[in-house]
Amino acid sequence: MSVLWALADANTQARIVEAHHAAVRETLDLLERQIAATRRGARGIEQADVTGVAAAAYDHWDSRANDPQLHTHVVVSNKVNTSDDGVWRTLGARGLYGAAVALSEHYDAVLRDRLTGTFALAWERRPRGRDRHPQWEIDGISEDLIVEFSSRTSAINSETERLKAAYVATHGRQPPARVVARMRAQATLATRPAKQIHSLHDLTEWWRRRAEPLAPDADPVGLARDLTTAGTGQVYTAAHVPNEVIEQAAAQTLAVVSDKRATWRRWNLWAEASRQTMGWRFSSAAEREQVITRVVDAAEAHSVRLTPDELAPTPATLQRADGSSRLRPQHHAIYSSEQVLADEERLLILAGERTGPLLPDRAVTAVVHRNDEGRRPSVEQANAVQQVATSGRVVDVLVGPAGAGKTTTLRALVRAWTARHGPGSVVGLAPSATAAKVLADDVGQPAETTAKWLTEHRHGRTRLARGQLVIVDEATLTGTHTLARLAALAADVGAKLLLTGDPAQLQAVDTGGAFAMLVGRLMPGFQPGPYMPYLNSPNPDSTPIEALTNPTTANP
């Protein structure tokens, strides 16, 4: 959209800006009607309605690299007027925070609706690379033009790759995902140029010159004119969408959300419903909101509500117009799915079963006191190896942050397991290719991504065998569905699943929380500290490694 606006004539530019401003207003309207509220009473127990919000908006035409980037900054005041008593109070931030992504998706969709309604633009869905949602772009604006006007993205990507290369040169391995995220944030600041102020007239002339080699007939203005006068896009109303299509969209919305979250609220469903319907064009924001509401209502109906209903009737004076209680925030209910609950239950059951393969204490002792490239496991690391190797659990955990010696611990465990069960008895997995390479380098064994391994297993090209140890590194970043599937496969053949990670770190992009849940079950009272190195806490039903060195007290 910014490329089209940059290349268009002045009249068309003004109409695009008008559509953009309308989408901003309509997004604020949704915020005012369904999100904005204040709190009053003891500890803010009552959520009170407000007359609206006060906001200041100011437009920007370009990025810091002076590429076209039509956008508006909207600063919302945190003071709101309570509708029933006229008192000025503070805007409730929690609801606004929870709905931020949904508001963003709503703006994107409404803007596309407006542009299609104004110019009959058509749209196409294009991939945006790994770990990013596909994007709906204007049909006729080429990727070459988009790349030409994406200087900031190119600079950030280039600097991030340089930082990654420096990390590899220093540490001899690829950086983990959390480090790459910090590198990208650092690259964003490092490549951030100072603002340079230019008139829109001068910027437009420069943009058109840059676009000439990439536009048909070297005529960027003509390209914009053709797209805005000969479009084939159509808009529809909510009445055009049949119930079966709504149900299909709701099912897909719920499937995506439940694959990314263990629990969710209405605005999580709203954001995904907007993505699922982003290719649908509606005649107005009201028509779109009506359809999204139908999709979200259907998705909620198929979810498992975890929040209990009110235990007592709410007085009429504390009820909203729709009869809901103002003692609870609007759209406060938390949902999950039967699949998520079943997967969590399966993991907990298998973590309690002692039917998995294990090593005798002597096998552990023989390995943990052996030098490995000049390094010998510490007492804490040796204890962690012993706990995992001799527990017999089908699903086990190894807890430790960066710097706690997890690599040394895993190397010792892999040596002990391979010595007992033979080559190929250890399977290394991780949620990303980068993490898989790190794991392979750390333990000296091949490793794959969980997604690739499960795909290969689904097609019959790989399988587990009795006695194998399956290590999933960075398990906090691995979804619950994936872990439950791996645990079930291991249990079926008599293998063992070991999850390694740190519950204090970032959680999974997919449905997460399973690792922390298992740590809480297997290590009651475990409290990870952000700076203090730790490995598995002492396990009351395992023998300390010091006892293994004394033949008179060691287990047989």
Side-chain angles (χ1 to χ4, degrees):
M1 183 273 290
S2 287
V3 172
L4 177 65
W5 166 79
L7 305 182
D9 60 71
N11 179 60
T12 304
Q13 279 187 330
R15 296 176 70 191
I16 293 175
V17 172
E18 182 182 350
H20 160 66
H21 284 166
V24 170
R25 289 195 302 271
E26 286 156 346
T27 302
L28 283 173
D29 176 63
L30 176 64
L31 184 155
E32 289 184 315
R33 287 184 290 104
Q34 295 207 35
I35 302 167
T38 188
R39 298 192 302 167
R40 65 185 173 190
R43 299 181 180 177
I45 190 173
E46 178 191 358
Q47 187 182 70
D49 296 332
V50 298
T51 57
V53 298
Y58 52 100
D59 296 326
H60 277 182
W61 310 123
D62 57 341
S63 69
R64 283 179 176 263
N66 296 129
D67 287 332
Q69 190 181 49
L70 173 61
H71 62 286
T72 298
H73 294 261
V74 182
V75 181
V76 179
S77 171
N78 72 333
K79 289 299 179 183
V80 288
N81 188 261
T82 311
S83 58
D84 58 358
D85 61 13
V87 175
W88 287 89
R89 294 184 172 91
T90 301
L91 175 65
R94 184 173 299 174
L96 185 61
Y97 178 80
V101 176
L103 288 171
S104 174
E105 297 293 342
H106 184 75
Y107 161 80
D108 288 347
V110 170
L111 175 60
R112 287 167 173 79
D113 292 343
R114 283 277 182 171
L115 291 173
T116 297
T118 303
F119 302 109
L121 293 177
W123 302 80
E124 62 179 1
R125 192 169 184 261
R126 301 180 190 175
R128 277 288 169 258
R130 183 180 173 184
D131 298 329
R132 294 183 63 189
H133 292 294
Q135 186 69 276
W136 286 89
E137 300 288 5
I138 297 173
D139 189 7
I141 299 295
S142 68
E143 284 298 303
D144 289 339
L145 278 170
I146 293 176
V147 171
E148 168 64 26
F149 294 117
S150 301
S151 303
R152 283 291 290 132
T153 299
S154 298
I156 292 169
N157 289 342
S158 178
E159 177 63 11
T160 301
E161 290 302 316
R162 188 191 69 80
L163 293 172
K164 288 168 64 176
Y167 184 98
V168 172
T170 302
H171 298 86
R173 56 185 174 85
Q174 291 291 328
R178 62 184 181 277
V179 175
V180 174
R182 291 199 295 267
M183 288 177 175
R184 188 166 184 84
Q186 179 181 338
T188 301
L189 295 176
T191 60
R192 191 182 191 190
K195 289 185 177 181
Q196 298 181 16
I197 307 302
H198 301 279
S199 70
L200 182 57
H201 176 272
D202 291 343
L203 286 171
T204 302
E205 290 296 320
W206 182 46
W207 293 334
R208 290 172 180 170
R209 287 196 301 271
R210 290 171 57 186
E212 284 180 359
L214 303 173
D217 302 321
D219 184 9
V221 178
L223 169 64
R225 182 173 57 250
D226 292 344
L227 290 176
T228 54
T229 57
T232 59
Q234 293 180 310
V235 294
Y236 300 91
T237 66
H240 286 107
V241 187
N243 287 333
E244 55 266 28
V245 174
I246 293 293
E247 286 294 332
Q248 291 172 4
Q252 185 61 23
T253 295
L254 186 58
V256 173
V257 171
S258 65
D259 200 41
K260 292 182 177 296
R261 293 174 172 272
T263 61
W264 51 87
R265 287 186 167 89
R266 183 175 181 85
W267 289 116
N268 302 124
L269 294 171
W270 188 289
E272 186 56 40
S274 292
R275 296 188 192 105
Q276 293 296 325
T277 60
M278 194 66 73
W280 305 358
R281 301 276 68 87
F282 293 100
S283 58
S284 69
E287 296 291 333
R288 171 168 291 279
E289 187 175 337
Q290 184 178 339
V291 169
I292 297 299
T293 299
R294 290 167 60 192
V295 173
V296 173
D297 286 347
E300 281 187 344
H302 294 296
S303 300
V304 177
R305 179 180 168 121
L306 303 180
T307 302
D309 294 329
E310 299 289 346
L311 297 179
T314 302
T317 55
L318 293 176
Q319 293 180 7
R320 299 185 182 89
D322 62 1
S324 61
S325 173
R326 292 209 303 263
L327 299 180
R328 288 189 171 185
Q330 197 170 14
H331 307 312
H332 68 285
I334 298 174
Y335 299 92
S336 188
S337 72
E338 293 182 1
Q339 184 63 53
V340 170
L341 298 176
D343 287 343
E344 291 181 345
E345 183 181 18
R346 175 183 295 176
L347 286 168
L348 288 172
I349 290 174
L350 293 179
E353 289 190 0
R354 301 291 188 126
T355 59
L358 48 77
L359 301 181
D361 289 338
R362 294 189 184 90
V364 179
T365 306
V367 169
V368 296
H369 291 292
R370 186 194 313 163
N371 281 339
D372 176 30
E373 298 179 358
R375 292 176 296 180
R376 177 177 293 181
S378 66
V379 171
E380 292 80 9
Q381 293 163 350
N383 274 328
V385 173
Q386 185 269 335
Q387 290 169 30
V388 171
T390 64
S391 73
R393 291 192 182 95
V394 176
V395 175
D396 220 331
V397 296
L398 175 66
V399 183
K406 189 178 65 176
T407 298
T408 302
T409 305
L410 284 177
R411 289 178 70 92
L413 176 62
V414 169
R415 289 199 313 273
W417 202 272
T418 303
R420 180 70 176 184
H421 292 281
S425 59
V426 176
V427 178
L429 301 175
S432 67
T434 299
K437 187 178 187 308
V438 171
L439 176 62
D441 293 342
D442 286 348
V443 302
Q445 295 279 337
E448 294 182 301
T449 65
T450 52
K452 179 182 178 183
W453 192 92
L454 286 172
T455 299
E456 294 291 309
H457 182 273
R458 192 160 49 247
H459 290 89
R461 293 191 288 265
T462 189
R463 62 186 180 87
L464 294 180
R466 177 176 295 277
Q468 282 188 314
L469 172 66
V470 183
I471 300 175
V472 179
D473 198 18
E474 299 285 2
T476 55
L477 302 177
T478 307
T480 302
H481 298 323
T482 298
L483 295 181
R485 177 62 178 154
L486 291 171
L489 292 174
D492 287 344
V493 299
K496 179 184 181 71
L497 178 65
L498 173 64
L499 311 179
T500 76
D502 178 9
Q505 292 178 351
L506 296 175
Q507 294 300 303
V509 175
D510 298 331
T511 301
F515 185 78
M517 174 189 70
L518 290 169
V519 170
R521 174 62 63 88
L522 299 179
M523 301 178 183
F526 179 79
Q527 294 293 329
Y531 305 110
M532 183 176 62
Y534 52 86
L535 284 162
N536 283 27
S537 297
N539 199 322
D541 53 0
S542 64
T543 306
I545 198 68
E546 291 88 341
L548 301 183
T549 62
N550 187 340
T552 61
T553 59
N555 290 341

